[in-house]
Amino acid sequence: MVSLMETFLQQLINGISQGSAYALIALGYTMVYGVLRLINFAHSDVYMFGAFMGFYLANNPWIKANLGTSAVSAVLILLASMALSAGLGILIERFAYRPGRGASRFALAFWFGIAGAAGGQLVRATFAASALGACAGVAIGLVLEKAGVRPAKENSRLALLIIAIGVSLFLENGGQLVFGADPKFFPQIIPTTLLDVGPLKVDSQKLIVLGVSIVLMGLLNIVVNYSKTGKAMRALSFDVDAAKLMGIDTDRIIAYTFALGSALAAAGGILVSLLYPKIDPLMGVTPGLKAFVAAVLGGIGNITGAMLGGLILGMAEVMAVGYGQSTYRDAIAFIILVLILLLKPTGIMGKGMSEKI
């Protein structure tokens, strides 16, 4: 008969593993908020994109034939998915958020190109029609920019928030169009086994998720605290105008922040897919909201707080399921959110900020 202590330890391991994945996603929210004071709602869809990149890379014939299911292939898939998602994060910042902060070249051409591709797909569902529509849209956008038409230069937080929601919806619906709306099974990219740890049975996948998360969070801590770019990121989070006066290229640092956060989201997407191997274009909605709660719980804008918030949320969720309250699994995150907003709105490690009026 399994003792209460064994059950508790088993659920604790499961909760830490789940929470570490939430922490990776929460870091993207908190980093972007730290430099822009913006909640990047599209971040959860980058998580989905990373999982799909891992899916297609894992099913690549060359990787399957030459590397198979091994640690080498798993690392390659993880790093490649993180790099592709970092690229997506840079694109989102460059063509969606940067025009919302001020003048930005080629933003109209980019969005007119996407609108043209969608229009071509509606006229005739072929690649040629989409490509022709995209080219026409890009040409129109370039002509308009040449004529002096630019996106509005109003640096409004509300406008950026609406842009974030729009980008999120665009990625979700674009994902259904490109990847298909049907769920897909994420392949086993690394061998798994049950390990005997004293009286406990521990799935090696959970230990891999925990280990990779710790390594990535440790590397992030080194980058933010000990690199020149990390110092620039911290300067931006303190005062953007002062950072500009000190000669920091703020646009480059913001793009770097988006890339870093998006790479971590992709890692989270692949690690969660190891534990729950069903993926679909809307898979980021619920984990994204929970990761946002984790970021708020720890103190939005605080990197250590995001890690702590993710671990607390993961453990609370798993404990609720392990002790017979599985129906409240998704509600746990929002109960915690309401409590933290009522009791300590700045989060566990957050600090109140005064704002001049």
Side-chain angles (χ1 to χ4, degrees):
M1 185 176 178
V2 180
S3 69
L4 290 176
M5 181 56 71
E6 288 176 14
T7 302
F8 173 77
L9 291 175
Q10 188 78 61
Q11 298 305 327
L12 182 63
I13 293 171
N14 295 340
I16 292 174
S17 176
Q18 181 74 48
S20 62
Y22 285 151
L24 285 178
I25 310 169
L27 284 169
Y29 283 110
T30 209
M31 288 168 64
V32 170
Y33 183 85
V35 297
L36 280 183
R37 297 294 182 264
L38 165 72
I39 303 300
N40 178 22
F41 285 108
H43 187 66
S44 60
D45 302 297
V46 178
Y47 158 89
M48 172 273 295
F49 178 82
F52 269 97
M53 291 302 98
F55 170 81
Y56 287 113
L57 286 168
N59 286 305
N60 180 275
W62 186 89
I63 292 179
K64 292 175 73 174
N66 293 277
L67 300 177
T69 303
S70 65
V72 175
S73 66
V75 171
L76 177 63
I77 290 166
L78 178 67
L79 294 178
S81 299
M82 290 174 68
L84 290 168
S85 297
L88 176 62
I90 292 172
L91 286 175
I92 291 172
E93 191 280 329
R94 173 66 179 80
F95 293 109
Y97 296 130
R98 192 178 299 182
R101 302 196 311 270
S104 179
R105 294 184 64 194
F106 306 123
L108 286 178
F110 178 81
W111 290 109
F112 269 95
I114 289 177
Q121 186 73 16
L122 289 174
V123 173
R124 182 172 294 179
T126 63
F127 176 78
S130 295
L132 187 62
C135 291
V138 168
I140 293 171
L142 290 173
V143 169
L144 289 174
E145 289 194 3
K146 193 70 175 176
V149 177
R150 294 285 190 277
K153 296 182 181 180
E154 181 183 2
N155 188 0
S156 165
R157 290 185 185 177
L158 178 60
L160 288 173
L161 181 65
I162 294 170
I163 288 171
I165 295 171
V167 172
S168 176
L169 292 172
F170 170 74
L171 290 175
E172 288 171 9
N173 288 277
Q176 292 185 65
L177 178 65
V178 175
F179 304 135
D182 57 306
K184 294 175 174 58
F185 182 80
F186 194 87
Q188 190 180 61
I189 61 176
I190 193 167
T192 181
T193 184
L194 278 177
L195 303 174
D196 292 316
V197 182
L200 306 178
K201 297 282 187 181
V202 181
D203 188 344
S204 62
Q205 300 278 31
K206 289 184 171 62
L207 296 181
I208 290 169
V209 169
L210 177 58
V212 172
S213 299
I214 290 172
V215 169
L216 290 175
M217 287 188 280
L219 290 173
L220 175 67
N221 185 63
I222 292 171
V223 168
V224 171
N225 290 303
Y226 301 104
S227 72
K228 187 176 179 180
T229 304
K231 290 178 181 178
M233 289 169 61
R234 286 184 283 132
L236 255 70
S237 68
F238 184 74
D239 192 320
V240 176
D241 293 330
K244 288 179 180 178
L245 292 173
M246 295 301 293
I248 294 174
D249 186 346
T250 55
D251 285 338
R252 183 180 67 84
I253 297 301
I254 290 170
Y256 180 83
T257 304
F258 269 84
L260 204 54
S262 298
L264 292 174
I270 290 178
L271 294 176
V272 171
S273 298
L274 292 177
L275 301 176
Y276 309 103
K278 189 186 81 167
I279 64 173
D280 64 79
L282 299 179
M283 65 177 284
V285 176
T286 301
L289 287 173
K290 291 179 180 178
F292 171 65
V293 171
V296 174
L297 172 62
I300 191 77
N302 187 298
I303 290 177
T304 306
M307 298 178 191
L308 180 62
L311 291 174
I312 292 173
L313 181 60
M315 286 190 286
E317 214 178 80
V318 170
M319 290 296 178
V321 173
Y323 287 98
Q325 300 297 328
S326 59
T327 53
Y328 296 105
R329 177 179 185 134
D330 292 335
I332 291 293
F334 303 103
I335 292 172
I336 291 174
L337 177 62
V338 171
L339 289 175
I340 198 68
L341 290 176
L342 289 174
L343 301 175
K344 197 174 189 297
T346 57
I348 296 172
M349 302 188 71
K351 296 179 181 178
M353 296 181 64
S354 59
E355 187 170 341
K356 293 181 180 180
I357 300 176

